[in-house]
Structure formats: C-alpha cells, structure tokens
C-alpha cells in the first residue's frame, strides 16, 4: 500500500457524510452517535471502543458531525419513529438526541436517484431530477454539497459512507476498467450507477469513501485508480453483520478439523426496507453475489453446494432471521449436520460498524494511507483488498494494524 504523510492538525473535526441518510442503518448510526456523545448509551457493538483499538488516536464521538444525501422525502424523525415501533431504537434515546438529529436533518441534501430505481415510493423530486442529469452535471452537484458541508462546518476531513439501498445489478461494460475509460464515458454522458458517481465525487474531492453496500461504489478498477491518484484510503464492500459473520467464524473450524462440508444451505428472512428492495430479482442478485462467494472460497471447494435464499417477510420488520443447515462428513464417512438460527436487528448490528469504519478511515487518511484498507476486511462480506474470508484471520489483521498504529 502506498503511503504519503499528511499534515497532522491539532483540534479535529470529522464530517461523516451518509448516503441513504434517512435509511434504517443511517438513522441508527446518527441517533447512536448522539447517544454516545451525550452518555445516554454504552458503546456495545463498537469494535473500536475495545482495547487495543480504544488506545488508538481515533476521533471522539463529539468530534464527528453528520450530513448526507437522500432520495426519499421521508423525514429522519419518521425513520426514527419506525425504528422505535420495531423495538430497535429506545424511545428515550430519540428524545434525548433530538437536537443532534435536527441538526443532522438540516444538513441532508437531495441525492442522486439511481437510473434503475425510478419508481421508488416517497421520492424527492429533486433527487429524481439529479438522477436524470448528464453524469458530469450530477457529479458537480454532489461535489458542491460535499464542499459546502466541509466549508460551513470547518471540517478537517470528510468521510463519505454509502448506506443507500442496494442497486440493481447491471451488465458489466468497459467503462470502469480504468480511469481514462471512465472519464471518457462521463464526458460522453453515459449513465453510471449512483454508487459509482457518489464514490467518484468523494474520491475526486480528496475524501475517503466507505461502501457498506453490495453496490459497486469504489470497487471498479477506475475508482481504485482515482483513489490512488488522489492519495485517499477507501474500503468496502457490503457490511458483514449477521449470517455471513457467523459463517465466516464457523467455516474455518470445519477446515481445521478436516471435516468435509458437503452442503451449506442458508435462508434469510428480511422484513425491513432493505428486504423490500432485495425482493426485486435484479437487486437481490447483487446481494447474493457478495454472500455466495464466501463459503466456496473459505472451504476451498469451488463445487460446494452452498445456497443462499433471501425472502421478504414484512412482519419481521428490522429483525432478520437466518437459518443455516450445514451437512458434513467425518471419519468413517459418518454424516452429520449442524443447524443454527440467527435472529438479529439488522440496523443495530450495522450502525456501530459504520461508526467504527468512520473512525478507522479518518485515522488511515490522517496517517497518509492510500487504497483499499486491507485491515478492515473483517467488516465486509466482499473486502476490496481481497484475501481470506476467515473472520479470525481478518480480525488478527486488524489487531496487527492496531499494534503498528499505536502511538502514531
Ligand atoms: N443492516 C445490515 O445489517 C446491512 C448489512 C450489510 C449491508 N447493508 C446495506 O446497507 C444499506 C442500507 O441498509 P438499510 O437497512 O438502512 O436500508 P434502508 O432501505 O432502510 O435505507 C436505505 C436508504 O437509502 C435511500 N436511497 C436509495 N437510493 C439512494 C440513492 N441513490 N442515493 C441516496 N439515498 C438513496 C433510501 O431512500 C433509504 O432511505 C443497504 O444497501 C443494505 O444492503 C446493511
């Protein structure tokens, strides 16, 4: 990884720009951050609040200011109300954090509707207009919002985090193959996925980008090149929060004991807006791709029967249920099985990781690190730097990074 030292500033103020600003994960991150700041909640679920990460020179809760892009007209308080009814956000936190939430809402700007998502309910007309602009004009609008956020709040740095709905899978074309091809495509007015335009706006403004979604974001070679050119760190893709987290912690055990996994069938039942979006086959395809590759690669078996099913069950709301059935073989050919059921609040699992990634990304930028941030692999289903999916090995890499960063 290339590295270039950046001048260290004294007092720090980090801007966190959340794309999908009024979605469930963004709402939980915003109220959670306010709660941490006011001492209303414990930092449970935050990796960076534990040693040895707590000993690093990371931004404090009260050094982070929020803003973001959205395409829906729904207010943040409505999203919070939904999450209170679903027993995810505590009602007293919503009351206690109200002034912070109001300040955040004021800094939410109209985003860029992805072309494939036209037809979304409660759509902000300005986001639809931006989505129909030629890509260079859309980029200008996004970059202006980022620059205004940084200037008005006098922020030392801004980290852009993609928490928008998963985009529909698009046919691969050559536009993302390298930076020159992408620039040519943008000049020619060829439309690109919104996540790619958000990543381009961030990186070209010298701002780090975190892609918590399975959408392409900064994963195309063209964007990786842009990040290197601008000396910016970035990480992604697709937060590893639930079933995949358990899978990548358990699968190495079968390998270590030389037990042969014959089949690993997983079924996810989702009831939130994310689940509703994933009910569409083209959007589901993006998610299944980042979930499906993990086990075959971990168990070094390209032919493994590993199915992942996703069904939308509205009554479950934010409480995702995943049921996994693992069929495996031991000595003497004895066939056995393991089953587990995971029932988690998707947003409560994701939000603290978003705050962790903000802090780690700001640190990486301040330390002059450039590129895909391999030490963040444990946070993602499809880590940009590649490498093993083994959660334990990924976590060791994060510990090594912390050891090498101590005191810097
Ligand atoms: N919750 C988890 O555990 C988890 C784990 C991994 C990945 N993710 C991903 O994180 C993302 C957010 O999840 P969520 O549960 O908050 O979903 P959500 O549907 O509640 O929120 C997404 C928000 O993005 C907005 N949006 C859609 N397109 C946009 C665009 N082009 N620009 C700006 N905003 C846009 C929507 O209006 C919505 O408010 C999804 O892509 C999801 O797949 C979530």
């Amino acid at each position: 990884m290339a590295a270039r030292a950046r001048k260290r500033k004294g007092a720090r103020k980090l801007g966190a720009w959340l794309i999908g600003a009024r979605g469930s994960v963004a709402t939980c991150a915003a109220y959670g951050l306010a709660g941490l700041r006011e001492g209303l909640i414990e930092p449970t679920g935050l990796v960076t609040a534990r040693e040895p990460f707590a000993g690093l020179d990371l931004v404090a809760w009260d050094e982070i200011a929020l803003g973001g892009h959205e395409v829906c007209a729904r207010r943040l308080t409505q999203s919070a109300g939904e999450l209170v009814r679903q027993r995810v956000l505590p009602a007293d936190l919503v009351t206690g954090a109200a002034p912070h939430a109001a300040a955040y809402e004021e800094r939410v700007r109209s985003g860029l509707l992805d072309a494939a998502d036209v037809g979304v309910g409660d759509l902000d007309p300005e986001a639809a207009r931006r989505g129909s602009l030629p890509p260079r004009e859309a980029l200008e609008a996004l970059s202006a919002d980022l620059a205004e956020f940084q200037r008005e709040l006098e922020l030392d740095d801004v980290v852009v985090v993609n928490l928008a709905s998963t985009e529909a899978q698009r046919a691969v074309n050559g536009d993302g193959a390298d930076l020159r091809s992408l620039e040519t495509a943008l000049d020619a007015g060829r439309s690109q996925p919104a996540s790619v335009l958000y990543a381009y706006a961030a990186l070209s403004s010298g701002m780090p980008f975190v892609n918590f979604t399975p959408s392409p974001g900064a994963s195309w070679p063209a964007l990786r090149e842009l990040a290197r050119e601008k000396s910016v760190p970035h990480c992604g893709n697709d937060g590893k929060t639930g079933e995949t987290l358990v899978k990548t912690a358990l699968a190495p055990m079968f390998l270590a004991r030389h037990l042969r996994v014959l089949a690993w069938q997983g079924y996810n039942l989702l009831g939130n807006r994310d689940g509703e979006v994933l009910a569409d086959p083209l959007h589901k395809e993006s998610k299944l791709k980042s979930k499906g590759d993990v086990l075959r690669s971990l168990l070094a078996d390209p032919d493994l029967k590993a199915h992942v099913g996703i069904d939308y069950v509205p009554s479950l709301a934010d409480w995702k249920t995943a049921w996994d059935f693992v069929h495996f073989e031991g000595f003497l050919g004895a066939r056995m099985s393991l089953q587990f059921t995971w029932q988690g609040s998707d947003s409560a699992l994701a939000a603290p990781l978003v705050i962790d990634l903000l802090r780690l990304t700001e640190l990486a930028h301040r330390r002059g690190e450039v590129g895909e941030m391999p030490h963040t692999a444990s946070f993602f289903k499809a880590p940009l730097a590649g490498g093993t999916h083994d959660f334990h090995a990924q976590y060791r890499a994060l510990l090594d990074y912390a050891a090498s960063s101590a005191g810097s």
Side-chain angles (χ1 to χ4, degrees), residues 9-355:
K9 304 223 168 83
R12 272 196 305 261
K13 211 168 165 198
L14 172 67
W17 189 263
L18 309 182
I19 297 162
R22 301 187 195 107
S24 300
V25 178
T27 303
C28 285
Y31 280 91
L33 198 52
L36 290 167
R37 197 175 170 154
E38 298 299 328
L40 300 173
I41 57 168
E42 295 290 321
T44 314
L46 273 136
V47 178
T48 54
R50 300 185 62 209
E51 291 302 341
F53 314 106
L56 296 177
D57 183 23
L58 298 166
V59 286
W61 319 130
D62 60 357
E63 292 175 325
I64 304 175
L66 298 179
H69 278 127
E70 231 325 322
V71 299
C72 74
R74 178 181 7 101
R75 302 282 89 191
L76 186 69
T77 44
Q78 284 172 263
S79 299
E82 276 175 25
L83 289 158
V84 169
R85 284 190 292 280
Q86 294 170 13
R87 294 175 295 106
V88 176
L89 270 182
D92 55 348
L93 171 61
V94 173
T95 308
H100 295 291
Y104 170 43
E105 176 75 278
E106 253 181 48
R107 294 191 290 264
V108 175
R109 299 287 173 267
S110 298
L112 181 74
L113 185 71
D114 189 61
D117 283 331
V118 176
V120 169
D122 75 341
L123 182 62
D124 165 10
E126 175 58 12
R129 190 192 70 81
R130 283 185 168 195
S132 65
L133 291 173
R136 285 287 184 205
E137 283 178 44
L139 278 170
E140 214 173 290
L142 297 181
S143 304
D145 291 338
L146 294 174
E148 183 196 32
F149 178 52
Q150 180 152 32
R151 194 179 51 249
E152 294 209 336
L153 294 185
E154 299 181 340
L155 301 166
D156 295 309
D157 200 0
V158 175
V159 174
V160 178
V161 187
N162 184 18
L163 298 172
S165 313
T166 302
E167 289 166 3
Q169 183 90 351
R170 295 197 195 195
V172 179
N173 62 33
D175 289 351
D178 54 56
L179 190 51
R180 194 198 288 196
S181 305
L182 183 60
E183 300 286 10
T184 307
L186 293 172
D187 290 341
R190 276 206 294 283
S191 101
Q192 305 298 333
S195 66
V196 168
L197 296 180
Y198 284 123
Y200 186 101
L203 298 173
S204 61
S205 307
M207 297 172 181
F209 185 78
V210 177
N211 186 13
F212 204 77
T213 80
S215 308
S219 63
W220 288 0
L223 275 300
R224 296 178 191 241
E225 202 178 323
L226 179 61
R228 286 194 297 277
E229 196 173 275
K230 294 285 180 182
S231 300
V232 181
H234 64 111
C235 58
N237 278 1
D238 201 4
K240 181 155 88 171
T241 54
E243 185 208 22
T244 309
L245 172 68
V246 181
K247 273 178 171 172
T248 60
L250 276 181
M253 174 193 77
F254 290 98
L255 213 54
R257 285 293 163 100
H258 201 183
L259 296 167
R260 186 191 304 155
V261 176
L262 304 166
W264 196 312
Q265 303 288 105
Y267 296 96
N268 293 251
L269 311 178
L270 271 85
N272 55 15
R273 248 185 323 270
D274 188 28
E276 193 178 348
V277 169
L278 295 177
D280 175 76
L282 276 179
H283 292 74
K284 190 185 313 199
E285 211 177 302
S286 308
K287 196 75 171 184
L288 290 181
K289 187 162 168 26
S290 54
K291 274 180 160 277
D293 297 343
V294 167
L295 279 175
R296 289 190 194 93
S297 132
L298 249 183
L299 295 167
D301 180 357
D303 301 320
L304 176 74
K305 172 143 181 55
H307 172 79
V308 183
I310 302 183
D311 273 327
Y312 176 49
V313 182
S315 61
L316 283 176
D318 197 55
W319 295 86
K320 180 166 74 200
T321 298
W323 172 66
D324 275 47
F325 177 89
V326 188
H327 198 203
F328 65 98
E329 191 174 86
F331 195 48
L332 312 174
R335 293 198 165 179
M336 300 162 256
S337 66
L338 161 80
Q339 298 178 45
F340 69 81
T341 310
W342 172 270
Q343 287 174 300
S345 155
D346 244 7
S347 309
L349 288 160
L353 303 187
V354 170
I355 299 172

